[in-house]
Amino acid sequence: MSHSSPETLAALARQELEGLVKRTTPLTPKERIAITAQEMPTQDPAIRRRNVQEVALGYTPEQARLESMRCLQCRNAPCVQGCPVRIDIPGFLKAAADGDFQGACSIIKKNSLLPAVCGRVCPQETQCQEHCTVGKSLKSVDKAVSIGRVERFVADLERESGSAVAPTIKPATGKKVAVIGTGPASITVAADVRRAGHQVVMFEAFHKPGGVLVYGIPEFRLPKAIVQKEIDALTGMGVELKTNFVIGRTRKLKALIEEDGFDAVFIGTGAGLPKFMNIEGENLVGVFSANEYLTRANLMKAYDFGRADTPISRSGRVAVLGGGNVAMDAARTAVRLGASEVHIIYRRTEVEMPARIEELAHAKEEGVIFHLLENAKRLIGDKDGCVTALECLRYELGEPDASGRRRPVEVKGSEFIHEIDAVIVAIGNDSNPLIPRTTEGLQTTKWGNIIVDETGKTSIDRVYAGGDIVLGAATVILAMGEGRRAAASINERLK
Amino acid sequence: MNKILARTQLSDDVYMMRLNAPYIARERLPGQFVILQLDNEFGERIPLTIADADPVEGSITIIFQAVGKTTHNLADKQVGESVQSVLGPLGQPTHIEKFGTVVCVGGGIGVAPLHPIVKGMKAAGNRIIVIVGARTKGLVILEEQMRALADEFIICTDDGSLGRKALVTEPLKEVCGRIPKPDMVVAIGPPIMMKFCAEATRPFGVHTMVSLNTIMIDGTGMCGGCRVTVGGQTKFVCVDGPEFDGHQVDFDNMMQRLKAYRKHEDHAHEQCHLNAELSAKEKVNS
């Protein structure tokens, strides 16, 4: 993919929009489809490989309007069906096409509390944009209306202009709700419950709030200042935040209800327990979970050499095991920390990769090397216990498995060696067991996910849960959707 | 923010501090630890064991050795100043019950986390044999407190400057050879000491519990940086530990993993000393 400069993209958009706004008759669907799909301006790959600033720079106002004009305003709105929180997508795109960006943002905010975040990290190509009629008629999901990019634009504009209106808060009810965790599900619950007039206290184990948005997703994909703004909005609404407070240890969950006077509790502690492959050599020096590697780099700012006290491995040849967004994040972080080569090892093919197309493309542009149909068999170390090589097996695709993806089958006797000096394991997360282990009577599945009913309530009265601790590792938008549901149930329960 | 209520220098580089931490003081049990961070922007997170707690005052006592940048900076803090973050209590508490005779072995700074365990074991009705060891006399900590709790107290130093001139493994072997043999050994200290304590008790078949102090970030099971191999399986020190069966721990792997960032730490430590010298010079000059 050739890289077009932001200036070129802006100039082209300005020109195209000028032509369109002069018209007096409404655009026909055919004409809308003919509008140029707006490319996201990005930092030049050669430059961004050496910095942690955001890769995608965001649309210009002209680009946002043009992209919104591509929307056909389908009456059946298939895009809305694909959105986990049912945002009125044609509605906000219409407002944006007319240049009413504030109006567009207000429409989104009726359903989604975190548009600046979701506009960046939602997998739109498998949600709203997958069903877009424009994409279908152009025979490529890549050509669908870039709903997420417009969402991001209007949210950024609102934030930067300071025009966001503080939500109205109902009169105090005297009821108190504890929210455990400060990730996307918890942020949503805190906002919705606070708006109903209840007192809200959020508990965070780390020294900074934001959960996976700050420890997991890198700065170059989601600037931490944006997450902080969302948190500031909550504290501005009167939500109390307690950091360095781990429920289950600093205070038992049940004590919150029985002794501390909380009327309801929401558990949104996420999927924070890294999976390992259980292969030989996995505990060698230089082998990290993606969680550890990313937390060092993001939350602990280890990229800021000289200022940050937290060290991070600055390796030459790095192998990342896995094919999801977290694997891409880890690989691209390794590139930025100065690795000479970064290899992604994935046992299926690119088609089956769970990573977003955009993340995959960005990783390739930044020089990450992909090894498909390969998987690690064991890790080999030197006399000091440091990893030096990865023994892999080749795979081929067999029959489809339960997930519908073709099952990878190992090719017997196909062992070969990659010489590397660091390995990052990014094969997923299980649910964090801390709260289930320390809370008697809280029912979980055999995988450790908390069981909830259709209202988000757990097996314990007044205790609700949502997000990855219920779903298993999923997405920000799904966590938010779960949070909305639980918040509605809590507000109903406290009436 | 956790205010420093008291600060005592126990030896050349070992310090004891009492920190305001009411929740941790109320909840903590023997065997648990905290994670401490001096600066929330650029500071590192380090695990430290809890030596004691006063739930009435709402304080915990930590004992630490100034070995790296963070512990040096912590040692420089005075009463009235604060630590930005203290998280805890973390880890599984020690399993305390009446076992019979319990041998508690503490090496160097390891005596600090051992202290609450000895207290707990004593209160549960066990006969307590304490073995305290250090390189030299000046490095022995909590001698009086441990002596007061022990039914039998053995002290040894590598150079013979206090008590027996021996490593802790020597009296440990003797005690294990007695008839009847002790019911349980708890050994806490430098990894190499715990490794050899486990080797010393293995032939006698005495269950030996060790407490591991590894590299950690979150301390809640999220990062896996603290993982160790125990009985051929991967365990997380922060949530599965910190105590494990010493006969099952792969100490060699653990010690290698502890050195993962040695180069960086040495550099940071050196830099920290240089900065201290520079600022001292500046003070003289101004």
Side-chain angles (χ1 to χ4, degrees), chain B residues 231-245:
Chain B
Q233 289 193 317
T234 293
K235 297 278 178 194
F236 286 11
V237 172
C238 66
V239 286
D240 300 319
E243 289 167 6
F244 295 99
D245 178 352

mmCIF file with all atom_site columns, all heavy atoms in Angstrom, chain B residues 231-245:
data_model
loop_
_atom_site.group_PDB
_atom_site.id
_atom_site.type_symbol
_atom_site.label_atom_id
_atom_site.label_alt_id
_atom_site.label_comp_id
_atom_site.label_asym_id
_atom_site.label_entity_id
_atom_site.label_seq_id
_atom_site.pdbx_PDB_ins_code
_atom_site.Cartn_x
_atom_site.Cartn_y
_atom_site.Cartn_z
_atom_site.occupancy
_atom_site.B_iso_or_equiv
_atom_site.pdbx_formal_charge
_atom_site.auth_seq_id
_atom_site.auth_comp_id
_atom_site.auth_asym_id
_atom_site.auth_atom_id
_atom_site.pdbx_PDB_model_num
ATOM 1   N N   . GLY B 1 231 ? 6.810  -28.031 40.516 1.00 0.00 ? 231 GLY B N   1
ATOM 2   C CA  . GLY B 1 231 ? 6.372  -29.389 40.186 1.00 0.00 ? 231 GLY B CA  1
ATOM 3   C C   . GLY B 1 231 ? 6.107  -29.552 38.700 1.00 0.00 ? 231 GLY B C   1
ATOM 4   O O   . GLY B 1 231 ? 5.178  -30.259 38.308 1.00 0.00 ? 231 GLY B O   1
ATOM 5   N N   . GLY B 1 232 ? 6.893  -28.857 37.877 1.00 0.00 ? 232 GLY B N   1
ATOM 6   C CA  . GLY B 1 232 ? 6.744  -28.980 36.426 1.00 0.00 ? 232 GLY B CA  1
ATOM 7   C C   . GLY B 1 232 ? 5.613  -28.130 35.851 1.00 0.00 ? 232 GLY B C   1
ATOM 8   O O   . GLY B 1 232 ? 5.405  -28.102 34.652 1.00 0.00 ? 232 GLY B O   1
ATOM 9   N N   . GLN B 1 233 ? 4.874  -27.442 36.720 1.00 0.00 ? 233 GLN B N   1
ATOM 10  C CA  . GLN B 1 233 ? 3.773  -26.606 36.234 1.00 0.00 ? 233 GLN B CA  1
ATOM 11  C C   . GLN B 1 233 ? 4.077  -25.135 36.445 1.00 0.00 ? 233 GLN B C   1
ATOM 12  O O   . GLN B 1 233 ? 4.788  -24.779 37.382 1.00 0.00 ? 233 GLN B O   1
ATOM 13  C CB  . GLN B 1 233 ? 2.501  -26.948 36.994 1.00 0.00 ? 233 GLN B CB  1
ATOM 14  C CG  . GLN B 1 233 ? 1.943  -28.305 36.620 1.00 0.00 ? 233 GLN B CG  1
ATOM 15  C CD  . GLN B 1 233 ? 0.536  -28.459 37.138 1.00 0.00 ? 233 GLN B CD  1
ATOM 16  O OE1 . GLN B 1 233 ? 0.246  -28.083 38.264 1.00 0.00 ? 233 GLN B OE1 1
ATOM 17  N NE2 . GLN B 1 233 ? -0.330 -29.018 36.311 1.00 0.00 ? 233 GLN B NE2 1
ATOM 18  N N   . THR B 1 234 ? 3.494  -24.307 35.587 1.00 0.00 ? 234 THR B N   1
ATOM 19  C CA  . THR B 1 234 ? 3.682  -22.866 35.730 1.00 0.00 ? 234 THR B CA  1
ATOM 20  C C   . THR B 1 234 ? 2.723  -22.313 36.786 1.00 0.00 ? 234 THR B C   1
ATOM 21  O O   . THR B 1 234 ? 1.535  -22.597 36.745 1.00 0.00 ? 234 THR B O   1
ATOM 22  C CB  . THR B 1 234 ? 3.434  -22.178 34.384 1.00 0.00 ? 234 THR B CB  1
ATOM 23  O OG1 . THR B 1 234 ? 4.477  -22.592 33.487 1.00 0.00 ? 234 THR B OG1 1
ATOM 24  C CG2 . THR B 1 234 ? 3.472  -20.664 34.515 1.00 0.00 ? 234 THR B CG2 1
ATOM 25  N N   . LYS B 1 235 ? 3.260  -21.566 37.732 1.00 0.00 ? 235 LYS B N   1
ATOM 26  C CA  . LYS B 1 235 ? 2.433  -20.934 38.766 1.00 0.00 ? 235 LYS B CA  1
ATOM 27  C C   . LYS B 1 235 ? 2.758  -19.446 38.801 1.00 0.00 ? 235 LYS B C   1
ATOM 28  O O   . LYS B 1 235 ? 3.886  -19.047 38.502 1.00 0.00 ? 235 LYS B O   1
ATOM 29  C CB  . LYS B 1 235 ? 2.745  -21.528 40.147 1.00 0.00 ? 235 LYS B CB  1
ATOM 30  C CG  . LYS B 1 235 ? 2.419  -23.008 40.267 1.00 0.00 ? 235 LYS B CG  1
ATOM 31  C CD  . LYS B 1 235 ? 0.946  -23.219 40.542 1.00 0.00 ? 235 LYS B CD  1
ATOM 32  C CE  . LYS B 1 235 ? 0.620  -24.702 40.623 1.00 0.00 ? 235 LYS B CE  1
ATOM 33  N NZ  . LYS B 1 235 ? -0.824 -24.940 40.565 1.00 0.00 ? 235 LYS B NZ  1
ATOM 34  N N   . PHE B 1 236 ? 1.764  -18.646 39.182 1.00 0.00 ? 236 PHE B N   1
ATOM 35  C CA  . PHE B 1 236 ? 1.978  -17.208 39.347 1.00 0.00 ? 236 PHE B CA  1
ATOM 36  C C   . PHE B 1 236 ? 2.223  -16.935 40.829 1.00 0.00 ? 236 PHE B C   1
ATOM 37  O O   . PHE B 1 236 ? 1.364  -17.242 41.659 1.00 0.00 ? 236 PHE B O   1
ATOM 38  C CB  . PHE B 1 236 ? 0.744  -16.432 38.894 1.00 0.00 ? 236 PHE B CB  1
ATOM 39  C CG  . PHE B 1 236 ? 0.547  -16.379 37.400 1.00 0.00 ? 236 PHE B CG  1
ATOM 40  C CD1 . PHE B 1 236 ? 1.300  -17.176 36.538 1.00 0.00 ? 236 PHE B CD1 1
ATOM 41  C CD2 . PHE B 1 236 ? -0.388 -15.520 36.843 1.00 0.00 ? 236 PHE B CD2 1
ATOM 42  C CE1 . PHE B 1 236 ? 1.118  -17.117 35.169 1.00 0.00 ? 236 PHE B CE1 1
ATOM 43  C CE2 . PHE B 1 236 ? -0.579 -15.454 35.470 1.00 0.00 ? 236 PHE B CE2 1
ATOM 44  C CZ  . PHE B 1 236 ? 0.169  -16.259 34.630 1.00 0.00 ? 236 PHE B CZ  1
ATOM 45  N N   . VAL B 1 237 ? 3.357  -16.334 41.152 1.00 0.00 ? 237 VAL B N   1
ATOM 46  C CA  . VAL B 1 237 ? 3.679  -16.055 42.551 1.00 0.00 ? 237 VAL B CA  1
ATOM 47  C C   . VAL B 1 237 ? 2.628  -15.123 43.166 1.00 0.00 ? 237 VAL B C   1
ATOM 48  O O   . VAL B 1 237 ? 2.224  -15.286 44.308 1.00 0.00 ? 237 VAL B O   1
ATOM 49  C CB  . VAL B 1 237 ? 5.097  -15.452 42.674 1.00 0.00 ? 237 VAL B CB  1
ATOM 50  C CG1 . VAL B 1 237 ? 5.366  -14.968 44.088 1.00 0.00 ? 237 VAL B CG1 1
ATOM 51  C CG2 . VAL B 1 237 ? 6.144  -16.489 42.268 1.00 0.00 ? 237 VAL B CG2 1
ATOM 52  N N   . CYS B 1 238 ? 2.135  -14.165 42.381 1.00 0.00 ? 238 CYS B N   1
ATOM 53  C CA  . CYS B 1 238 ? 1.227  -13.145 42.937 1.00 0.00 ? 238 CYS B CA  1
ATOM 54  C C   . CYS B 1 238 ? -0.120 -13.695 43.378 1.00 0.00 ? 238 CYS B C   1
ATOM 55  O O   . CYS B 1 238 ? -0.658 -13.241 44.378 1.00 0.00 ? 238 CYS B O   1
ATOM 56  C CB  . CYS B 1 238 ? 1.029  -12.009 41.948 1.00 0.00 ? 238 CYS B CB  1
ATOM 57  S SG  . CYS B 1 238 ? 0.163  -12.496 40.448 1.00 0.00 ? 238 CYS B SG  1
ATOM 58  N N   . VAL B 1 239 ? -0.690 -14.641 42.635 1.00 0.00 ? 239 VAL B N   1
ATOM 59  C CA  . VAL B 1 239 ? -2.013 -15.141 43.017 1.00 0.00 ? 239 VAL B CA  1
ATOM 60  C C   . VAL B 1 239 ? -1.996 -16.581 43.519 1.00 0.00 ? 239 VAL B C   1
ATOM 61  O O   . VAL B 1 239 ? -2.815 -16.958 44.345 1.00 0.00 ? 239 VAL B O   1
ATOM 62  C CB  . VAL B 1 239 ? -3.065 -14.994 41.876 1.00 0.00 ? 239 VAL B CB  1
ATOM 63  C CG1 . VAL B 1 239 ? -3.485 -13.552 41.715 1.00 0.00 ? 239 VAL B CG1 1
ATOM 64  C CG2 . VAL B 1 239 ? -2.564 -15.578 40.577 1.00 0.00 ? 239 VAL B CG2 1
ATOM 65  N N   . ASP B 1 240 ? -1.069 -17.408 43.022 1.00 0.00 ? 240 ASP B N   1
ATOM 66  C CA  . ASP B 1 240 ? -0.981 -18.788 43.507 1.00 0.00 ? 240 ASP B CA  1
ATOM 67  C C   . ASP B 1 240 ? -0.091 -18.861 44.743 1.00 0.00 ? 240 ASP B C   1
ATOM 68  O O   . ASP B 1 240 ? -0.185 -19.790 45.529 1.00 0.00 ? 240 ASP B O   1
ATOM 69  C CB  . ASP B 1 240 ? -0.409 -19.705 42.424 1.00 0.00 ? 240 ASP B CB  1
ATOM 70  C CG  . ASP B 1 240 ? -1.258 -19.725 41.167 1.00 0.00 ? 240 ASP B CG  1
ATOM 71  O OD1 . ASP B 1 240 ? -2.490 -19.755 41.301 1.00 0.00 ? 240 ASP B OD1 1
ATOM 72  O OD2 . ASP B 1 240 ? -0.694 -19.704 40.062 1.00 0.00 ? 240 ASP B OD2 1
ATOM 73  N N   . GLY B 1 241 ? 0.830  -17.935 44.878 1.00 0.00 ? 241 GLY B N   1
ATOM 74  C CA  . GLY B 1 241 ? 1.804  -17.918 45.969 1.00 0.00 ? 241 GLY B CA  1
ATOM 75  C C   . GLY B 1 241 ? 1.507  -16.812 46.933 1.00 0.00 ? 241 GLY B C   1
ATOM 76  O O   . GLY B 1 241 ? 0.350  -16.454 47.076 1.00 0.00 ? 241 GLY B O   1
ATOM 77  N N   . PRO B 1 242 ? 2.520  -16.245 47.595 1.00 0.00 ? 242 PRO B N   1
ATOM 78  C CA  . PRO B 1 242 ? 3.951  -16.400 47.297 1.00 0.00 ? 242 PRO B CA  1
ATOM 79  C C   . PRO B 1 242 ? 4.569  -17.677 47.889 1.00 0.00 ? 242 PRO B C   1
ATOM 80  O O   . PRO B 1 242 ? 5.718  -17.968 47.625 1.00 0.00 ? 242 PRO B O   1
ATOM 81  C CB  . PRO B 1 242 ? 4.581  -15.163 47.953 1.00 0.00 ? 242 PRO B CB  1
ATOM 82  C CG  . PRO B 1 242 ? 3.668  -14.847 49.091 1.00 0.00 ? 242 PRO B CG  1
ATOM 83  C CD  . PRO B 1 242 ? 2.288  -15.225 48.631 1.00 0.00 ? 242 PRO B CD  1
ATOM 84  N N   . GLU B 1 243 ? 3.794  -18.458 48.666 1.00 0.00 ? 243 GLU B N   1
ATOM 85  C CA  . GLU B 1 243 ? 4.400  -19.622 49.312 1.00 0.00 ? 243 GLU B CA  1
ATOM 86  C C   . GLU B 1 243 ? 4.174  -20.889 48.502 1.00 0.00 ? 243 GLU B C   1
ATOM 87  O O   . GLU B 1 243 ? 3.073  -21.127 48.010 1.00 0.00 ? 243 GLU B O   1
ATOM 88  C CB  . GLU B 1 243 ? 3.831  -19.763 50.722 1.00 0.00 ? 243 GLU B CB  1
ATOM 89  C CG  . GLU B 1 243 ? 4.360  -18.661 51.618 1.00 0.00 ? 243 GLU B CG  1
ATOM 90  C CD  . GLU B 1 243 ? 3.620  -18.545 52.942 1.00 0.00 ? 243 GLU B CD  1
ATOM 91  O OE1 . GLU B 1 243 ? 2.761  -19.396 53.218 1.00 0.00 ? 243 GLU B OE1 1
ATOM 92  O OE2 . GLU B 1 243 ? 3.911  -17.604 53.667 1.00 0.00 ? 243 GLU B OE2 1
ATOM 93  N N   . PHE B 1 244 ? 5.223  -21.670 48.386 1.00 0.00 ? 244 PHE B N   1
ATOM 94  C CA  . PHE B 1 244 ? 5.142  -22.926 47.640 1.00 0.00 ? 244 PHE B CA  1
ATOM 95  C C   . PHE B 1 244 ? 5.938  -23.994 48.368 1.00 0.00 ? 244 PHE B C   1
ATOM 96  O O   . PHE B 1 244 ? 6.764  -23.699 49.234 1.00 0.00 ? 244 PHE B O   1
ATOM 97  C CB  . PHE B 1 244 ? 5.721  -22.750 46.229 1.00 0.00 ? 244 PHE B CB  1
ATOM 98  C CG  . PHE B 1 244 ? 4.944  -21.805 45.356 1.00 0.00 ? 244 PHE B CG  1
ATOM 99  C CD1 . PHE B 1 244 ? 5.375  -20.490 45.187 1.00 0.00 ? 244 PHE B CD1 1
ATOM 100 C CD2 . PHE B 1 244 ? 3.780  -22.213 44.705 1.00 0.00 ? 244 PHE B CD2 1
ATOM 101 C CE1 . PHE B 1 244 ? 4.655  -19.604 44.392 1.00 0.00 ? 244 PHE B CE1 1
ATOM 102 C CE2 . PHE B 1 244 ? 3.067  -21.337 43.916 1.00 0.00 ? 244 PHE B CE2 1
ATOM 103 C CZ  . PHE B 1 244 ? 3.503  -20.032 43.752 1.00 0.00 ? 244 PHE B CZ  1
ATOM 104 N N   . ASP B 1 245 ? 5.696  -25.247 47.965 1.00 0.00 ? 245 ASP B N   1
ATOM 105 C CA  . ASP B 1 245 ? 6.465  -26.376 48.479 1.00 0.00 ? 245 ASP B CA  1
ATOM 106 C C   . ASP B 1 245 ? 7.888  -26.278 47.920 1.00 0.00 ? 245 ASP B C   1
ATOM 107 O O   . ASP B 1 245 ? 8.108  -26.440 46.717 1.00 0.00 ? 245 ASP B O   1
ATOM 108 C CB  . ASP B 1 245 ? 5.766  -27.667 48.007 1.00 0.00 ? 245 ASP B CB  1
ATOM 109 C CG  . ASP B 1 245 ? 6.509  -28.918 48.438 1.00 0.00 ? 245 ASP B CG  1
ATOM 110 O OD1 . ASP B 1 245 ? 7.645  -28.792 48.965 1.00 0.00 ? 245 ASP B OD1 1
ATOM 111 O OD2 . ASP B 1 245 ? 5.964  -30.022 48.251 1.00 0.00 ? 245 ASP B OD2 1
#
